[in-house]
Amino acid sequence: MDSRFAVFFFIMGGLDTYLNDCEAKCLQESEAPARLSIQYGDTYFQEEVIGDEIYGIYDLPKRYGAFQPTFGASLTSDDDFWIGAGGKWTTERVSDGPFFIELSLMPGVYFSGDGPDLGFPLQFRGALGAGLRLDTGSSISVFFDHRSNANATETNPGIETLGIRISQEF
């Protein structure tokens, strides 16, 4: 796995938690907007476009410090399927403006269809996105993510997705 996603995720989320939550309890549960998202994008394997992916994400209506639990599942045009759960950090806690940046890290299970062999069923998905919040509670963003097995096996080529995400709070 490209560890930069994990490093950014823990640095930004940890710093946000320390600055905004540690006077009471650092990882205290608090409310957050529940959100359902759909992402569509191109999948890349070794810098070549190999197909398309549809990705659904659900953010739970709570946070622990700056980290919001999230679940996701994706399906590629090669019938590769990934499902996972993890955490998300977003600048909505830092800035009240309409623009935001988001990082997520989710371990999950990868089931290879006709796509590439990623070496191991356990795949970590790290994502970086930037977007715009609309007054309706929805948002649109551009995302880049990377999935790999974090060198759990010798075969660890990874796969990337570049996509557009539409989200709705409820």
Side-chain angles (χ1 to χ4, degrees), residues 129-153:
L132 173 67
R133 255 184 227 89
L134 306 173
D135 292 336
T136 61
S138 57
S139 62
I140 186 165
S141 48
V142 175
F143 271 82
F144 174 78
D145 70 41
H146 172 82
R147 279 166 280 167
S148 71
N149 65 39
N151 294 318
T153 64

Side-chain angles (χ1 to χ4, degrees), residues 1-3 5 124-127 144-149 156-161:
M1 174 181 183
D2 187 334
S3 61
F5 283 112
F124 295 87
R125 188 173 194 144
F144 174 78
D145 70 41
H146 172 82
R147 279 166 280 167
S148 71
N149 65 39
N156 184 32
I159 191 169
E160 287 80 32
T161 302

